[in-house]
Amino acid sequence: AEAPTRPAIAVGSVALEVSRDVYKLNVSVNTKDEQKTFTPSSTIHIDVDITQFGGKTPTNAAEVCLVVVDEAILSLTDYKLSSPLDVFYPNRPTAISQQHGRDRCLLFNMQDIQQFKKDMQQDMDRGLVLDECCELASCCFESSAKRCCCMRDGLCGDDDAAADQSIAVRSNFNPLACWVPSSSTDSSGRVSFDFKLPDNLTRYRVWAIATNEQQYGFGEMAFTVQLPVMLRPSPPRFLNYGDTAKLSVVLQNQTDQPLSLHAGLKAANAKLITSDTSHQLAGYV
């Protein structure tokens, strides 16, 4: 409003999303234990049910891949497995760019035009200086187009030193409890897996990937491996000859039922002294 009459331009866009529901599969992963708590070295049974998306029609002869891995390893890099549907049917970007010539129209007086030319020449000279700096600093990266960065921009650090540093990862347990690369569902759309758990006390993540060459699905669940009782001793870090110390131990009941526990202690090169006070706290010795 109240603007002088001049050429104007406006641009609008809308995104039309194409549904991928026809390519989806429902994947349900369950165990017989509703509590999803198991003991080390026990045998676990996992059922994977494959149905059509938006309905309960079983999918026959669907190929299923099962992965059971320790969550402690996954948390090191925050690794997450995504559905293959996003790989084969991704959401494509619009890939549309707009070019307008309004900003190239010089609608001002001659002095402004001369100043504009002078600024452009200074920008071009500054670009040539940056190119020479890049060549001297050996900091040029050649790809489809030549791109340079200068040492003063802080982009040319010592990458070799960081690459030589290796990450120390624990290796005294097997993080992969089960891996079945291919298994087919029956007429009811179900496939079952039985495997023996490692001796680790941890939490496992279960991933199931399903496909029938045209449709894809992904499902996951988690379960915990633990023992009924956990001991948490709290000894002193350092002792010298002649020292007297109190050793406290917490007995933790990890079941839903009350347990009567008896604790014993055996020491070498130390003399056990009966405590004068008795702790009546539950789980404390």
Side-chain angles (χ1 to χ4, degrees):
E2 300 180 359
T5 302
R6 63 180 59 186
I9 186 173
V11 178
S13 63
V14 60
L16 302 178
E17 184 178 356
V18 180
S19 176
R20 301 182 299 174
D21 295 347
V22 67
Y23 301 111
K24 292 182 180 180
L25 290 175
N26 288 331
V27 180
S28 176
V29 185
N30 297 297
T31 61
K32 293 182 178 180
D33 190 356
E34 297 181 357
Q35 300 295 331
K36 297 181 180 180
T37 302
F38 303 90
T39 58
S41 300
S42 62
T43 301
I44 183 175
H45 179 86
I46 293 180
D47 293 327
V48 179
D49 296 316
I50 311 299
T51 57
Q52 293 293 325
F53 182 80
K56 296 183 179 180
T57 305
T59 303
N60 185 22
E63 187 176 3
V64 178
C65 174
L66 185 73
V67 183
V68 183
V69 64
D70 190 350
E71 285 192 351
I73 300 299
L74 301 177
S75 62
L76 294 178
T77 57
D78 194 20
Y79 182 81
K80 296 179 181 179
L81 191 64
S82 59
S83 174
L85 185 68
D86 299 331
V87 178
F88 292 97
Y89 300 98
N91 293 324
R92 295 185 177 181
T94 56
I96 297 177
S97 60
Q98 302 174 2
Q99 300 291 337
H100 303 283
R102 286 292 303 275
D103 57 344
R104 304 183 185 276
C105 296
L106 306 179
L107 302 179
F108 31 80
N109 54 34
M110 185 58 63
Q111 290 81 5
D112 295 336
I113 295 178
Q114 296 296 333
Q115 183 64 31
F116 180 74
K117 291 182 178 180
K118 184 178 180 180
D119 295 339
M120 288 184 61
Q121 185 63 35
Q122 292 178 356
D123 293 340
M124 294 176 62
D125 295 340
R126 189 180 299 110
L128 294 176
V129 173
L130 291 177
D131 291 340
E132 294 177 359
C133 176
C134 292
E135 293 177 358
L136 294 176
S138 299
C139 188
C140 296
F141 301 93
E142 296 182 0
S143 56
S144 58
K146 182 179 180 181
R147 296 174 296 176
C148 295
C149 65
C150 293
M151 293 292 292
R152 66 177 183 180
D153 293 335
L155 300 180
C156 299
D158 191 2
D159 296 337
D160 295 336
D164 294 339
Q165 297 180 358
S166 59
I167 301 176
V169 182
R170 294 174 296 168
S171 59
N172 60 345
F173 56 85
N174 185 8
L176 188 62
C178 178
W179 180 67
V180 180
S182 178
S183 184
S184 300
T185 58
D186 54 15
S187 58
S188 62
R190 170 173 292 186
V191 58
S192 300
F193 302 90
D194 293 282
F195 58 92
K196 186 178 180 181
L197 294 172
D199 295 330
N200 303 326
L201 301 178
T202 184
R203 183 177 176 87
Y204 286 97
R205 174 67 56 179
V206 182
W207 287 324
I209 305 173
T211 178
N212 60 358
E213 296 183 357
Q214 294 181 351
Q215 296 173 305
Y216 304 91
F218 174 77
E220 63 179 343
M221 63 159 289
F223 64 88
T224 304
V225 178
Q226 63 183 20
L227 292 174
V229 180
M230 177 181 292
L231 272 68
R232 294 189 296 168
S234 299
R237 295 184 60 186
F238 304 99
L239 285 176
N240 203 349
Y241 293 102
D243 290 347
T244 301
K246 291 184 179 180
L247 176 62
S248 61
V249 180
V250 176
L251 307 180
Q252 184 175 354
N253 180 13
Q254 301 191 118
T255 64
D256 298 332
Q257 303 296 329
L259 294 177
S260 297
L261 303 177
H262 301 275
L265 178 63
K266 182 179 180 181
N269 297 331
K271 182 179 180 181
L272 300 180
I273 304 175
T274 305
S275 177
D276 297 334
T277 61
S278 59
H279 299 276
Q280 301 298 329
L281 298 178
Y284 183 82
V285 179

